[in-house]
Structure formats: structure tokens, C-alpha cells
Amino acid sequence: MPSDGPVLSVLDAQVLEGVAGGESTVQLASRLYLSRQGIEYRVGQMLRRFDAPNRPALVARAPALGMFAVGQWPPRVLPEREK
């Protein structure tokens, strides 16, 4: 596993993929069987961790950190970035 970039839990990776794919908090909560507050908590944790002021900045920062597979839609977190 590479040590030169962030690693996310499987659930956080799914949340990040959903945010990058344009899903709303309600859509993510429904799909992942979490509460809206649970989604907001996880997004907030990632915003702080990646020093991003908002969701668009978080999504823009993810490829720069090597989180997403290149040329793939919808965005998918690379397996080596999941723990």
C-alpha cells in the first residue's frame, strides 16, 4: 500500500465517490443506508482532512492527491487508497 497519499475507509471512499459524482446528501444517505447527519459528518471529516473549504474543492483536490482512477466516470477511488 502506498504511503505517499491519503487512505480512506471503504465507506468514506463511497461517500467521496458519491460527492464527486454529484449525489446529494439525501441521495448518498439513502444509497449507503446512513442518516443525512452521518453523511454530513463524513464529508466534514474529509473537508478538514484534505483542507478543502467546500465539496467542489474536495472533489477537485482528490485527483491531485491520487485518489481517483484516471479517465473513469463515475469517479472511483483507487483500491490502494482504501483500507
Side-chain angles (χ1 to χ4, degrees):
M1 190 174 300
S3 60
D4 59 344
V7 177
L8 299 174
S9 70
V10 172
L11 184 56
D12 283 342
Q14 291 175 323
V15 171
L16 180 58
E17 290 168 355
V19 170
E23 287 184 76
S24 70
T25 297
V26 172
Q27 289 170 324
L28 277 168
S30 176
R31 182 170 63 84
L32 298 175
Y33 304 101
L34 295 172
S35 67
R36 288 182 300 112
Q37 293 83 3
I39 296 295
E40 290 296 341
Y41 173 79
R42 290 185 172 282
V43 170
Q45 292 288 87
M46 284 187 277
L47 290 173
R48 285 185 288 285
R49 182 173 177 194
F50 298 144
D51 195 29
N54 52 40
R55 287 177 180 218
L58 175 66
V59 171
R61 193 150 297 161
L65 294 171
M67 299 298 294
F68 292 142
V70 177
Q72 186 174 6
W73 189 262
R76 291 289 173 246
V77 172
L78 292 167
E80 60 267 23
R81 296 294 183 203
E82 294 181 4
K83 61 178 174 182

